Amino acid sequence: MQSLYDFNYEQIQQYALDQGWKKFRGHQIFQWLYRKRVQSIDEMSDISKECRDFLKENFIVNPCKIVDKQVSSDGTTKYLFELTDGALVESVLMIYDYGKSVCVSSQVGCNMGCDFCASGLLKKRRDLTSGEMVAQVLSVQKDLDETDDRVSHVVVMGTGEPFDNYEHVMNFAKTINHDLGLGIGGRHITISTCGIVPKILAFAQAKTQYNLAISLHAPNDTLRNKLMPINKAYPLEELMKALKVYTDLNNRRLTFEYILLKGINDQQIHADQLADLIRGINAYVNLIPYNEVDEHGYRSVDRKSAMVFYDRLMKKGIRATIRKEHGGDIDAACGQLRAKEEKKRMG
């Protein structure tokens, strides 16, 4: 059954009109969902019983049930959700100086096949609806409500390739960004892609305030072909042309995500190639310590090696950061907790 979270504000108003209700009825439902954060349609007390009965026959509220929650010593919290069809997805709450950030999954499994990634251990079963993504954020927000805190940032960087589920991801962002939704600022919403060029161009034309992050992880085609099969469809030259279109149309700074893999992409020559590749683009590089996944055999660099790579980029005039590690004492890598639970269920 469809979730009411699947409707953005304009869609729920239009749905109300389509049923012969007043447009304001859609506004009321949206308020109950996001301002009062009800868990059932029966709680919508200022809506007529007839209307509530109709909604109950056709919709549910929350399509996600928390089946596991791991809390790290640093406050990072990993959520494992079960969806109405039994599928499992993960989200992560991360705590920064600037606020609370939730990392959201966009698909059940992933077909991109990145060689180092835990998300791809289980292949894609289906896309998530926008409501299933909204429910991930709202579930975390309801936990934070207990301490009068709030989700301030959202990144779509969990399991799945967001631009392989473009329409639902954009609808999700529209809902959490809306003033009457969760009111998360557009500049506090980041969508990541491994490089699906046609959707990057569509995103460029959409001219939103959302941030765009590119999962790069290699500075040349030979290495990127090995690590990320998407590069065979959209090699670096094609990807960089699309990103130039994006920056020209949007005047927004890009983020390049670069996971440092020991002995693979972490040498001085890789830093030099990376600097040459992105020079002239309004962007910075987010260097990420690798969360090791037993099934893949890749290893993370130590802090000293990461600093050497960082220093080389900075000397070449490329702005960079080293991402703070989160949840080192829990199943921190995308897909790890889900894969563990799936194995348990298969006996």
Side-chain angles (χ1 to χ4, degrees):
M1 194 179 288
Q2 189 178 11
S3 167
L4 286 171
Y5 293 154
D6 282 326
F7 293 98
N8 66 40
Y9 183 68
E10 289 77 18
Q11 288 168 342
I12 196 73
Q13 287 185 308
Q14 185 58 52
Y15 184 81
L17 289 174
D18 291 344
Q19 304 315 307
W21 306 335
K22 291 182 179 177
K23 191 175 182 181
F24 183 69
R25 183 69 77 216
H27 174 86
Q28 284 178 300
I29 294 168
F30 205 76
Q31 289 271 68
W32 279 111
L33 293 174
Y34 297 105
R35 283 290 173 256
K36 299 174 185 176
R37 301 202 253 279
V38 297
Q39 284 295 284
S40 73
I41 291 164
D42 280 328
E43 293 176 72
M44 299 178 181
S45 55
D46 63 353
I47 295 175
S48 70
K49 185 176 184 303
E50 181 185 13
C51 179
R52 277 182 281 150
D53 287 344
F54 176 86
L55 290 174
K56 284 191 292 183
E57 286 173 17
N58 292 280
F59 299 100
I60 58 172
V61 176
N62 191 347
C64 289
K65 177 178 72 176
I66 298 173
V67 293
D68 196 3
K69 191 160 73 170
Q70 295 182 348
V71 183
S72 169
S73 57
D74 64 13
T76 301
T77 305
K78 185 146 208 178
Y79 293 79
L80 182 66
F81 297 107
E82 183 176 43
L83 307 177
T84 53
D85 63 354
L88 299 171
V89 294
E90 298 172 346
S91 299
V92 184
L93 169 67
M94 294 166 288
I95 300 171
Y96 294 94
D97 293 340
Y98 55 75
K100 306 285 195 304
S101 180
V102 177
C103 180
V104 174
S105 292
S106 58
Q107 294 177 315
V108 180
C110 184
N111 276 347
M112 293 300 107
C114 297
D115 201 46
F116 49 83
C117 183
S119 294
L121 291 174
L122 297 165
K123 295 304 175 191
K124 174 185 163 183
R125 280 172 52 184
R126 65 175 177 86
D127 292 331
L128 293 185
T129 68
S130 58
E132 288 168 332
M133 287 179 269
V134 168
Q136 294 172 56
V137 180
L138 270 173
S139 295
V140 178
Q141 181 58 62
K142 283 165 188 165
D143 275 358
L144 293 177
D145 284 342
E146 295 176 12
T147 55
D148 290 325
D149 211 338
R150 69 182 295 268
V151 174
S152 61
H153 294 69
V154 170
V155 294
V156 191
M157 294 183 184
T159 298
E161 161 53 52
F163 278 2
D164 189 36
N165 187 18
Y166 183 82
E167 297 301 331
H168 284 138
V169 167
M170 294 298 280
N171 201 50
F172 154 75
K174 193 170 187 178
T175 293
I176 63 169
N177 174 231
H178 198 283
D179 287 345
L180 297 175
L182 286 174
I184 297 170
R187 291 172 185 262
H188 291 177
I189 297 170
T190 301
I191 301 172
S192 173
T193 178
C194 65
I196 299 179
V197 164
K199 292 299 189 288
I200 291 172
L201 294 172
F203 187 73
Q205 294 292 338
K207 296 184 181 178
T208 69
Q209 291 292 304
Y210 314 141
N211 301 307
L212 179 61
I214 306 300
S215 295
L216 193 64
H217 312 311
N220 62 67
D221 281 324
T222 302
L223 182 55
R224 201 164 190 264
N225 285 345
K226 178 179 180 296
L227 295 176
M228 303 177 72
I230 191 70
N231 199 70
K232 295 170 186 174
Y234 305 111
L236 284 172
E237 184 178 1
E238 197 173 336
L239 173 61
M240 299 311 288
K241 282 180 182 174
L243 295 178
K244 174 119 182 14
V245 171
Y246 170 79
T247 54
D248 285 349
L249 286 175
N250 290 269
N251 194 29
R252 306 277 290 128
R253 185 172 70 160
L254 284 166
T255 301
F256 286 101
E257 306 282 349
Y258 195 96
I259 291 174
L260 289 166
L261 303 168
K262 187 175 182 179
I264 304 294
N265 66 351
D266 62 335
Q267 306 302 302
Q268 180 176 306
I269 188 172
H270 299 127
D272 292 346
Q273 289 173 349
L274 181 56
D276 290 341
L277 180 69
I278 68 175
R279 184 173 287 109
I281 293 178
N282 181 17
Y284 78 100
V285 178
N286 189 16
L287 299 172
I288 305 170
Y290 181 55
N291 282 315
E292 294 180 3
V293 180
D294 291 341
E295 290 84 349
H296 292 313
Y298 290 104
R299 292 292 170 254
S300 183
V301 300
D302 56 29
R303 183 74 182 179
K304 182 180 177 183
S305 299
M307 284 302 300
V308 169
F309 198 93
Y310 166 86
D311 287 340
R312 186 71 181 180
L313 287 178
M314 294 293 279
K315 284 172 184 171
K316 291 275 185 175
I318 302 299
R319 287 171 291 178
T321 57
I322 300 177
R323 189 165 82 183
K324 177 184 172 186
E325 292 186 68
H326 292 272
D329 54 343
I330 59 176
D331 294 304
C334 291
Q336 278 185 320
L337 184 57
R338 173 176 170 250
K340 186 183 287 187
E341 179 66 19
E342 292 277 16
K343 284 180 185 175
K344 193 194 303 179
R345 292 185 176 194
M346 289 188 290

